[in-house]
Amino acid sequence: MESALIFLGTGSSGSIPSMRCLIDPSDPPCSVCAQSLSLPPHLNSNYRCNTSLLIQSYSEADATHKYILIDAGKTFREAVLRWFVFHSIPRVDSILLTHEHADAVLGLDDIRAVQPFSPTNDIDPTPVYLTQHSMDSMERVFPYLVQKKHREGQEIRRVAQFCWNIIADDCNQPFFASGLKLTPLPVMHGEDYICLGFLFGEKNRVAYISDVSRIPANTEYVISKSGAGQLDLLILDALRKTGSHNVHFCLPQALETVKRLCPKQTLLIGMTHEFDHHKDNEFLMEWSRREGLSVQLAHDGLRVPINL
């Protein structure tokens, strides 16, 4: 009986394998995308769904687990079929949304599959925590998941049931989800857009930042060793192996951030097919030995025990 982090997805918005690599293959073919179809999921570190994390939080008080989901993107159904069964995940107790882009929210409709069945929707709604900006988008994209009042004579349809909770994009306004205290970590996802990361854990401090191009100074202070204290685990965006990107960290920016923050361990997520899990983790092992900082690529299905 322990707490753990389960990586439901570690890929970019397009996920891996890339559809383009399969329908219009290059010469020679993309080795990562080809390999990602050659092995079953639990043996295949190069098959990547949209970035998503499940926090399995164990409460010693009542000896139960709570399951807190961060993001439910386009591949959420696939992640449930692959990893909920594999890791014996029975339900979702709360949902945190980092932002309202497709790779973070388009799987919300499928949450009904992990809720109790009721043909009249007579179930306890799952709490969802999101910013007002994201809430405004949910009202446009998913009106049937937001509006609960039915017109006279309107037929009842079974849909996912949610309780929407607005949180601030402010490091100084923590909140609780299923008993776990979380601190919002506002970061820039492009210079005109704020995305949330989350800081959580009292015994071990974990920072999750999935979509970022720049970390503002006040957010960096909260998660830096020289600021509020050393992180035990940093989970960080790294879209491409080289260069830079206007709305995401690539590997060079991610590694520079690790050197500034000095976490005890870093797991990289959000990777495109440029990353070969095994080969690039060999490079990161050498980088880690040289810099004295532990960094490696995460993979779908990875389960990391942690003391929260």
Side-chain angles (χ1 to χ4, degrees):
M1 303 298 287
E2 62 184 2
S3 297
L5 306 178
I6 299 172
F7 290 77
L8 301 179
T10 59
S12 58
S13 179
S15 67
I16 311 300
S18 163
M19 288 186 286
R20 175 58 56 190
C21 287
L22 300 182
I23 65 175
D24 186 18
S26 57
D27 185 16
C30 171
S31 60
V32 170
C33 289
Q35 184 198 3
S36 70
L37 291 180
S38 65
L39 295 170
H42 66 286
L43 299 176
N44 194 338
S45 300
N46 279 327
Y47 195 108
R48 304 180 187 121
C49 290
N50 293 159
T51 297
S52 178
L53 185 75
L54 189 85
I55 305 169
Q56 178 181 295
S57 177
Y58 176 69
S59 169
E60 295 181 354
D62 55 7
T64 60
H65 282 110
K66 296 294 184 182
Y67 299 90
I68 303 166
L69 175 69
I70 303 181
D71 287 342
K74 297 178 286 184
T75 58
F76 176 70
R77 180 182 184 275
E78 187 174 354
V80 170
L81 296 176
R82 290 176 180 275
W83 304 119
F84 275 49
V85 176
F86 187 82
H87 289 293
S88 301
I89 301 165
R91 64 187 183 277
V92 170
D93 294 300
S94 298
I95 300 171
L96 316 177
L97 296 182
T98 59
H99 62 314
E100 87 284 5
H101 289 170
D103 57 346
V105 306
L106 284 193
L108 286 174
D109 182 79
D110 287 315
I111 292 293
R112 60 182 170 174
V114 295
Q115 291 181 324
F117 175 78
S118 168
T120 60
N121 294 331
D122 186 21
I123 62 172
D124 291 332
T126 301
V128 181
Y129 299 87
L130 72 171
T131 64
Q132 184 62 59
H133 180 80
S134 292
M135 186 73 244
D136 294 343
S137 179
M138 294 301 94
E139 291 175 339
R140 296 190 300 270
V141 176
F142 291 117
Y144 63 97
L145 298 180
V146 176
Q147 299 165 5
K148 297 305 177 185
K149 291 184 178 179
H150 293 275
R151 298 186 303 273
E152 184 177 353
Q154 183 178 4
E155 182 180 357
I156 295 175
R157 299 178 183 272
R158 181 174 176 259
V159 298
Q161 296 295 297
F162 296 121
C163 174
W164 304 92
N165 300 274
I166 304 302
I167 58 174
D169 52 0
D170 186 342
C171 298
N172 297 311
Q173 297 191 47
F175 64 99
F176 285 85
S178 297
L180 181 67
K181 182 180 179 180
L182 298 113
T183 298
L185 298 174
V187 297
M188 303 312 298
H189 185 24
E191 284 304 307
D192 60 348
Y193 188 88
I194 295 175
C195 182
L196 288 187
F198 298 102
L199 176 69
F200 56 92
E202 299 292 336
K203 298 173 183 176
N204 287 321
R205 298 174 72 244
V206 180
Y208 178 87
I209 302 176
S210 61
D211 295 77
V212 58
S213 56
R214 181 173 63 84
I215 302 178
N218 57 336
T219 298
E220 186 162 307
Y221 177 83
V222 170
I223 58 177
S224 67
K225 183 177 180 180
S226 59
Q230 187 171 32
L231 288 173
D232 292 279
L233 175 61
L234 173 63
I235 302 169
L236 187 61
D237 187 21
L239 183 71
R240 296 174 178 168
K241 284 176 62 174
T242 60
S244 62
H245 193 272
N246 61 327
V247 298
H248 286 279
F249 276 173
C250 296
L251 184 60
Q253 296 83 50
L255 294 179
E256 285 301 315
T257 300
V258 170
K259 288 196 284 187
R260 288 199 311 275
L261 300 181
C262 295
K264 294 180 182 177
Q265 182 183 9
T266 300
L267 291 170
L268 300 180
I269 57 174
M271 295 87 68
T272 67
H273 62 172
E274 292 182 17
F275 287 90
D276 182 296
H277 183 84
H278 301 290
K279 292 180 180 178
D280 290 312
N281 262 342
E282 291 178 2
F283 163 79
L284 288 173
M285 286 178 61
E286 178 57 35
W287 186 93
S288 297
R289 283 193 293 266
R290 185 172 67 249
E291 298 292 339
L293 295 163
S294 175
V295 181
Q296 63 184 111
L297 304 179
H299 62 81
D300 287 22
L302 175 65
R303 183 181 185 276
V304 179
I306 195 151
N307 193 355
L308 297 176

